[in-house]
Amino acid sequence: MAGEQALLSTEIVNRGVESSGPDAGSLTFSVRVRRRLPDFVQSVNLKYVKLGYHYLINHAVYFATIPVLVLLLSAQVGSLSREELWRKLWEETSYDLATVLAFLGVLVFTVSLYFMSRPRPIYLVDFACYKPSDDLKVSKQDFIELARKSGKFDEASLEFQSQILKNSGMGDETYIPKAVMQPENCATMKEGRAEAATVIFGAMDELFDKCRIRPKDVGVLVVNCSLFNPTPSLSAMIINHYKMRGNILSFNLGGMGCSAGIIALDLARDMLQANSNCYAVVVSTEMVTFNWYPGRRRSMLIPNCFFRMGCSAVLLSNRRRDFRRAKYSLEHIVRTHKGADDRSFRAVYQEEDEQKFKGLSISRDLLEVGGDALKTNITTLGPLVLPFSEQLLFFGTLIWRQVFGGSKASKPYIPDYKLAFEHFCIMAASKNVLDELQRNLELSDDNMEASRMTLHRFGNTSSSSIWYELAYMEAKEKVRRGDRVWQLAFGSGFKCNSVVWRSLRRVRKTNRNPWFDCIDRYPVAL
């Protein structure tokens, strides 16, 4: 019972003055009780760091043997004078042609094998985020009025959506398609294709223009859109529109949730490792129109309030000559999937309601299963990115508590992820999720600025939101050479995925940025 109470948080809402009755004139308020993200850093289990430390231990032999060899060689050489060393090398050693050639052959073979076995570096040349036209902007108040005029919702549903929007962390300049507020059904293939063409071609046109490449130069195309999957696929629609080459490796990822953008990056990386001298384009988006829910079930009304129009297009390259113009290099991708657990599997679930309206149902367990997936992901990522001092302290504390029976009441050591990354792009899902993540990871307001401002300006654009956040940092000219960027996303399944980039140069603000015309107004007070 105590554990359940620890996951509940209270909030005072609806403050006011009683207007009538025996208590007229007195102050009144309501208390809202909700589940919050579990404090996962207090419950880190040894098994969750096993994979990360597996990577570390694989390279431990180098850290152990190289210093020993250096010490032995130094001791041997240090005991000889310069004349003795010269005599041992040249006067007391006889070389013949066969020995020299054999030595050179082994050296060349070893060096060649080393470089051939190394994975190809993957560069992020540039990326583009679609910015809808101003006539698609909608404020929170206008959203409710348009929803009322559409005739699709009763008053109780409108009031519920109004309360969700009030506490969402979203501003009054997000974008929705016009079709969703029309009286007729908008969740049609026609409307879905129309929105897809608008956002995808808008982002890709800008990407090709910024990177100065032709569509026929692209060898790998990966598109992810979770809930809208027409036939022919969205990837086929792109190939048809841009008349791409016939031997392009194209993939279309569907049903994989808001974290699918990082999954698409992982697939593109694998394709680039297997195909030399190649470009890959990754497109991440979600269709608001096709997934609009006109019913009354509250768990399905929540996505209506948060999801907004958006799309990102990213150009990756394995060409070494692109090093000079690329913005970032890919460091790590860590993926976590909790689909084996039933609660995690049904946390975000597409189904029909009692009226047979299709919608996306959000479970009450979402924050809890999300915290569990995040716990596994960051404890796997930690050994790959944290300084050795942090790893040693974290692992030592964990061993003490698990093996030697340290005090269960003592607080475990929480690794400082601010030492591993300069910039954080945490998927802008909702204000409550960002609040809990900031508290658990002990991040500063500066660390969370890009996520909160993206939620305020563009809403939840699903898998593309982490790119709007990176665009915000670039518009603020915060990204400098050598900086590390952590992009973190989570979605249905339940999945939590991380990608780490390293900046190759200082990124300057350009007019080809979705924040260009409003960046001077941000950050805003929330």
Side-chain angles (χ1 to χ4, degrees):
M1 186 66 182
E4 179 69 18
Q5 291 178 349
L7 294 178
L8 302 179
S9 63
T10 58
E11 178 184 3
I12 297 178
V13 296
N14 299 329
R15 300 172 187 255
V17 178
E18 189 68 32
S19 57
S20 59
D23 298 324
S26 61
L27 295 176
T28 64
F29 62 88
S30 301
V31 177
R32 175 184 296 155
V33 180
R34 67 176 72 192
R35 294 181 70 86
R36 67 184 183 186
L37 192 69
D39 194 1
F40 51 82
V41 296
Q42 300 295 328
S43 59
V44 173
N45 197 301
L46 187 60
K47 66 180 180 180
Y48 292 125
V49 298
K50 183 178 179 180
L51 181 58
Y53 277 93
H54 170 71
Y55 293 121
L56 184 66
I57 296 304
N58 277 348
H59 298 87
V61 64
Y62 301 110
F63 297 110
T65 57
I66 290 176
V68 174
L69 293 175
V70 170
L71 287 174
L72 291 175
L73 182 61
S74 301
Q76 182 66 23
V77 173
S79 64
L80 301 174
S81 66
R82 183 181 302 177
E83 292 77 12
E84 291 173 331
L85 180 61
W86 183 264
R87 188 172 59 254
K88 281 184 175 291
L89 288 175
W90 298 106
E91 296 178 5
E92 297 182 7
T93 307
S94 60
Y95 300 98
D96 55 36
L97 182 61
T99 304
V100 173
L101 291 178
F103 174 78
L104 291 177
V106 171
L107 179 63
V108 170
F109 175 77
T110 304
V111 172
S112 301
L113 186 64
Y114 170 75
F115 282 104
M116 290 174 63
S117 63
R118 289 182 63 192
R120 292 186 178 92
I122 306 299
Y123 303 118
L124 193 164
V125 179
D126 212 333
F127 67 95
C129 297
Y130 174 70
K131 183 183 177 184
S133 57
D134 287 346
D135 62 322
L136 299 178
K137 279 184 183 179
V138 60
S139 67
K140 288 177 284 190
Q141 182 177 353
D142 290 342
F143 179 93
I144 297 300
E145 290 304 316
L146 290 170
R148 177 177 284 108
K149 291 178 181 178
S150 72
K152 297 177 181 177
F153 307 100
D154 59 17
E155 284 301 319
S157 298
L158 291 171
E159 177 62 25
F160 175 74
Q161 292 181 83
S162 178
Q163 289 298 322
I164 292 292
L165 286 171
K166 188 181 299 183
N167 301 305
S168 65
M170 293 165 54
D172 291 326
E173 294 185 292
T174 59
Y175 303 91
I176 61 170
K178 290 182 178 180
V180 301
M181 293 306 184
Q182 300 303 319
E184 59 272 9
N185 176 32
C186 66
T188 62
M189 296 297 292
K190 179 183 177 181
E191 293 295 345
R193 287 184 185 275
E195 183 184 348
T198 300
V199 298
I200 292 176
F201 298 154
M204 292 193 68
D205 285 346
E206 181 179 330
L207 180 71
F208 289 139
D209 191 37
K210 289 170 73 172
C211 298
R212 301 185 299 279
I213 67 167
R214 303 171 304 163
K216 288 186 179 295
D217 295 332
V218 178
V220 178
L221 173 66
V222 185
V223 182
N224 71 271
C225 181
S226 185
L227 298 174
F228 180 60
N229 294 285
T231 300
S233 65
L234 294 177
S235 59
M237 181 185 77
I238 294 172
I239 293 171
N240 174 261
H241 178 80
Y242 290 103
K243 309 305 177 188
M244 292 178 164
R245 66 198 201 194
N247 64 343
I248 188 171
L249 302 174
S250 66
F251 303 88
N252 201 93
L253 306 181
M256 304 196 77
C258 299
S259 65
I262 297 178
I263 299 173
L265 287 173
D266 194 20
L267 176 57
R269 177 186 64 174
D270 290 345
M271 292 299 102
L272 290 176
Q273 294 292 357
N275 298 272
S276 60
N277 200 35
C278 189
Y279 283 124
V281 170
V282 176
V283 179
S284 301
T285 188
E286 194 59 79
M287 298 305 111
V288 177
T289 309
F290 189 74
N291 304 305
W292 195 254
Y293 174 68
R296 300 179 181 179
R297 188 187 293 184
R298 293 194 168 188
S299 63
M300 292 183 171
L301 286 170
I302 295 174
N304 284 6
C305 300
F306 284 101
F307 285 106
R308 296 293 184 263
M309 292 179 73
C311 179
S312 64
V314 180
L315 180 66
L316 303 175
S317 172
N318 60 10
R319 305 183 183 197
R320 294 190 182 274
R321 62 178 175 269
D322 284 323
F323 171 82
R324 293 186 177 277
R325 68 173 183 142
K327 287 184 174 180
Y328 306 92
S329 64
L330 180 59
E331 297 279 307
H332 304 286
I333 293 180
V334 173
R335 294 168 53 181
T336 300
H337 204 305
K338 291 289 185 177
D341 175 67
D342 290 340
R343 285 201 313 160
S344 297
F345 177 71
R346 297 191 65 90
V348 181
Y349 201 81
Q350 190 179 23
E351 57 185 347
E352 291 87 15
D353 66 2
E354 299 78 9
Q355 300 172 282
K356 301 302 179 183
F357 288 130
K358 170 177 62 68
L360 199 65
S361 178
I362 307 298
S363 167
R364 293 178 181 272
D365 296 328
L366 179 63
L367 286 180
E368 188 174 348
V369 301
D372 184 51
L374 181 62
K375 173 177 63 178
T376 305
N377 187 267
I378 65 172
T379 49
T380 304
L381 177 68
L384 304 178
V385 297
L386 287 168
F388 186 73
S389 58
E390 288 293 301
Q391 297 182 40
L392 190 62
L393 286 170
F394 173 69
F395 196 57
T397 305
L398 196 60
I399 290 293
W400 175 260
R401 290 169 57 85
Q402 297 290 334
V403 178
F404 298 105
S407 173
K408 298 297 182 183
S410 62
K411 184 176 180 181
Y413 181 74
I414 304 170
D416 188 355
Y417 283 88
K418 297 187 291 295
L419 297 176
F421 308 108
E422 283 74 33
H423 308 290
F424 296 79
C425 297
I426 298 174
M427 197 191 85
S430 70
K431 178 181 179 296
N432 291 335
V433 170
L434 294 179
D435 287 346
E436 294 297 331
L437 287 172
Q438 180 177 6
R439 180 179 65 85
N440 276 277
L441 293 176
E442 297 186 349
L443 301 178
S444 67
D445 290 338
D446 255 2
N447 299 143
M448 301 296 296
E449 182 180 315
S451 299
R452 294 190 187 280
M453 296 306 106
T454 297
L455 180 64
H456 182 272
R457 177 65 180 84
F458 292 98
N460 183 345
T461 60
S462 188
S463 55
S464 64
S465 68
I466 56 178
W467 296 104
Y468 285 87
E469 294 167 20
L470 186 54
Y472 176 87
M473 294 174 184
E474 292 187 353
K476 285 289 187 180
E477 297 190 344
K478 292 185 175 182
V479 183
R480 292 172 170 79
R481 183 177 181 179
D483 284 359
R484 295 152 298 180
V485 181
W486 180 20
Q487 290 181 317
L488 175 68
F490 33 89
S492 61
F494 194 86
K495 298 180 287 293
C496 180
N497 301 319
S498 294
V499 59
V500 179
W501 304 94
R502 183 177 293 274
S503 175
L504 299 176
R505 57 186 172 89
R506 183 170 185 177
V507 181
R508 302 288 186 178
K509 179 172 66 175
T510 69
N511 58 359
R512 295 176 178 177
N513 186 302
W515 297 88
F516 177 73
D517 63 345
C518 63
I519 192 62
D520 294 336
R521 295 190 276 116
Y522 283 87
V524 297
L526 300 177

